[in-house]
């Protein structure tokens, strides 16, 4: 048994002061005022020292860390990425692939599939987010245009038919065959997510009507309102903002999306339809000026974000989840409860895992983060095991 005492426990709608969380068998057993609970002498007691105790963060979009990239197609590399991100409070993730050849994407999915359900002492790997190759060549960002292509069932069916290995796919809804791809994804309970797209409003809405229910890194790499003849017409961005059926990813690293736009997203989508995602690349955890790969693209860490080496575009972030939570509070003005919800319950719900993850309630997995009032990550607990503790020398 483990007990986390003296915490300010972040619930779905409020903060429970001076509460403790009791953990048994990898699950949350009870949440109660610290003064009202007795625990056995042999229980491990963790003193949160007045810090926040929150559900573990679930990152739906992460490419890498520490110079390593999911496209290396290696379980060992995935384990290193998963270990790095526990220091940012991530307890579960869906690693993202990028546009590449069929063979490279297949190899990356093989590795992610093998990593699902394994305990590396890092964030749990829940499945793959296939980002590309079915994207717009005009909005491919750091993804290599030479490999971008239209959906081809003979290519994607073998990817989708890996039982439980794929959880999301990002696609451009305007491509020929995109609606049939959405059907194929939904049949296998894989989330179709719109992104890297130049779709107009009609094309976006048609995809949403067909079942597209998520938007990949809202604001980044998607069409926005533009003047057509005498009239201003919405793009994919405004359609995603306006439609309640769509959950949106938000790279709230303070660089990808301007604080004013973060506030706009909160106003439009509310606290229940935003998932904070890092979109972290191999540059995460590297020093400023370090170069790294994202698939075949080359990036450099510059001013706290990944850039193309020529500075022409962003190449994912170098953020961790706790930084995104902090930014939503400090830059976007949302409450801590809501910011945590966007990092935990919402992504868990998107994945259909809200019965197990995303909240501190009895019977849910004991995936828990403890952080100070100044957003310093103190501890990350996964399945009832303390997998990260802030190093003593920096305390
Ligand atoms: Zn992307």
């Amino acid at each position: 048994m483990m007990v986390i005492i003296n915490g300010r426990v972040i619930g779905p709608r409020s903060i429970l002061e001076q509460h403790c969380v009791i953990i048994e068998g990898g699950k949350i057993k009870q949440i109660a005022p610290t003064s009202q609970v007795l625990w056995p002498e042999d229980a491990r007691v963790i003193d949160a020292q007045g810090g926040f105790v929150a559900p573990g963060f679930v990152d739906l979009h992460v490419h890498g860390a520490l110079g390593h990239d999911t496209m290396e197609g290696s379980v060992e590399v995935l384990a290193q990425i998963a270990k790095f991100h526990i220091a940012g409070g991530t307890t579960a993730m869906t690693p993202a692939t990028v546009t590449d050849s069929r063979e490279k994407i297949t190899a990356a999915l093989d590795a992610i599939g093998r990593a699902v359900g394994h305990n590396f002492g890092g964030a749990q790997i829940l499945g793959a987010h296939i980002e590309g190759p079915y994207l717009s060549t005009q909005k491919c960002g750091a993804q290599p245009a030479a490999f971008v292509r239209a959906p081809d069932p003979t290519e994607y069916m073998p990817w989708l038919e890996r039982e439980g290995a794929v959880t999301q796919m990002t696609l451009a809804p305007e491509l020929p065959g995109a609606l049939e791809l959405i059907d194929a994804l939904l049949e296998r309970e894989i989330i179709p997510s719109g992104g890297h797209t130049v779709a107009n409003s009609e094309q976006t809405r048609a995809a949403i009507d067909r079942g597209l229910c998520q938007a990949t890194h809202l604001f980044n790499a998607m069409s926005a309102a533009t003047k057509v003849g005498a009239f201003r017409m919405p793009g994919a961005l405004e359609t995603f903002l306006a439609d309640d059926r769509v959950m949106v990813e938000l790279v709230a690293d303070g660089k990808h999306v301007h604080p004013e736009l973060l506030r706009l997203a909160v106003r439009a989508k509310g606290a229940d339809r935003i998932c904070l995602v890092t979109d972290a690349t191999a540059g995460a955890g590297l020093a400023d000026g370090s170069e790294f790969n994202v698939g075949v693209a080359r990036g450099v860490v510059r001013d706290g974000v990944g850039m193309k080496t020529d500075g022409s575009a962003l190449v994912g972030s170098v953020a961790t989840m706790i930084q995104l939570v902090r930014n939503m509070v400090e830059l976007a003005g949302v409450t801590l409860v809501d910011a945590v919800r966007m990092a935990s319950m919402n992504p868990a719900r998107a994945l259909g895992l809200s019965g197990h993850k995303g909240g501190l309630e009895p019977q849910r997995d004991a995936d828990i983060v403890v952080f100070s009032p100044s957003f310093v990550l103190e501890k990350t607990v996964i399945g009832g095991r303390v997998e990260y503790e802030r190093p003593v020398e920096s305390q």
Side-chain angles (χ1 to χ4, degrees):
M1 181 182 280
M2 185 190 286
V3 189
I4 304 174
I5 62 168
N6 294 324
R8 307 177 68 191
V9 176
I10 301 183
R13 301 289 174 199
S14 63
I15 297 176
L16 306 168
E17 302 289 345
Q18 279 293 322
H19 271 55
C20 67
V21 180
I22 300 171
I23 298 159
E24 197 170 53
K27 305 268 182 198
I28 294 167
K29 190 175 178 215
Q30 190 187 358
I31 293 167
T34 301
S35 59
Q36 290 179 14
V37 175
L38 292 172
W39 50 85
E41 260 181 25
D42 60 348
R44 176 170 180 186
V45 179
I46 293 174
D47 190 344
Q49 297 181 322
F52 293 107
V53 180
F57 305 141
V58 180
D59 191 350
L60 297 178
H61 194 149
V62 53
H63 294 282
L66 298 174
H68 284 296
D69 184 272
T70 58
M71 293 306 286
E72 290 174 55
S74 150
V75 176
E76 292 72 35
V77 159
L78 291 166
Q80 288 184 46
I81 295 168
K83 271 189 187 153
F84 171 82
H85 284 283
I86 56 174
T90 304
T91 54
M93 58 166 62
T94 55
T97 59
V98 293
T99 298
D100 209 317
S101 67
R102 180 186 301 199
E103 294 71 28
K104 286 291 294 266
I105 293 172
T106 301
L109 294 178
D110 279 342
I112 295 169
R114 288 200 305 277
V116 171
H118 280 269
N119 171 18
F120 305 115
Q124 292 176 342
I125 292 176
L126 302 176
H129 177 167
I130 306 179
E131 189 183 16
Y134 311 135
L135 310 176
S136 162
T137 51
Q138 297 166 64
K139 290 283 182 189
C140 51
Q143 306 231 5
F147 285 113
V148 165
R149 48 199 182 262
D152 170 4
T154 64
E155 178 174 69
Y156 66 66
M157 279 303 185
W159 293 342
L160 307 191
E161 271 158 8
R162 297 151 178 266
E163 187 74 40
V166 180
T167 46
Q168 304 109 275
M169 186 175 206
T170 293
L171 61 111
E174 70 276 19
L175 295 176
L179 297 179
E180 291 74 16
L181 172 56
I182 290 170
D183 293 342
L185 292 166
L186 292 172
E187 269 169 41
R188 291 158 185 83
E189 297 184 340
I190 298 169
I191 302 166
S193 190
H196 289 275
T197 172
V198 292
N200 61 29
S201 184
E202 286 76 39
Q203 290 165 324
T204 308
R205 194 160 299 286
I208 297 170
D209 288 342
R210 196 78 163 229
L212 188 98
C213 55
Q214 201 156 300
T216 300
H217 44 54
L218 191 79
F219 293 108
N220 301 117
M222 59 179 62
S223 51
T226 182
K227 208 167 166 221
V228 179
F231 303 100
R232 186 154 294 274
M233 302 303 286
L237 167 62
E238 295 78 12
T239 312
F240 290 141
L241 277 169
D243 197 312
D244 278 350
R245 292 171 290 179
V246 180
M247 176 78 90
V248 301
E249 292 184 358
L250 209 50
V251 185
D253 64 345
K255 309 275 181 182
H256 277 73
V257 182
H258 189 281
E260 206 69 63
L261 298 178
L262 292 178
R263 288 191 282 272
L264 172 62
V266 172
R267 292 228 160 193
K269 303 306 297 184
D272 291 322
R273 291 188 185 82
I274 293 173
C275 293
L276 303 182
V277 297
T278 61
D279 199 0
T281 60
L286 300 182
D288 214 63
S290 305
E291 294 199 6
F292 60 90
N293 289 326
V294 183
V296 295
R298 195 89 182 127
V300 60
V301 181
R302 197 173 287 156
D303 299 328
V305 71
M307 303 283 290
K308 273 190 170 174
T309 45
D310 64 5
S312 65
L314 295 175
V315 188
S317 89
V318 295
T320 59
M321 289 296 281
I322 187 72
Q323 292 164 352
L324 311 184
V325 170
R326 176 182 192 152
N327 286 342
M328 290 309 286
V329 172
E330 296 184 351
L331 302 180
V334 310
T335 65
L336 180 60
V337 169
D338 283 348
V340 164
R341 188 175 184 78
M342 294 171 191
S344 54
M345 178 48 78
N346 294 353
R349 214 176 73 230
L351 292 170
L353 294 174
S354 57
H356 307 283
K357 298 190 181 294
L360 297 182
E361 283 179 27
Q363 300 310 320
R364 286 215 175 98
D365 295 350
D367 296 348
I368 299 168
V369 293
V370 180
F371 58 92
S372 76
S374 54
F375 297 94
V376 175
L377 211 297
E378 300 287 349
K379 286 185 175 60
T380 303
V381 177
I382 302 175
R385 298 177 311 277
V386 178
E387 297 288 13
Y388 172 81
E389 290 189 82
R390 185 159 68 98
V392 174
E393 54 271 23
S394 63
Q395 287 183 357

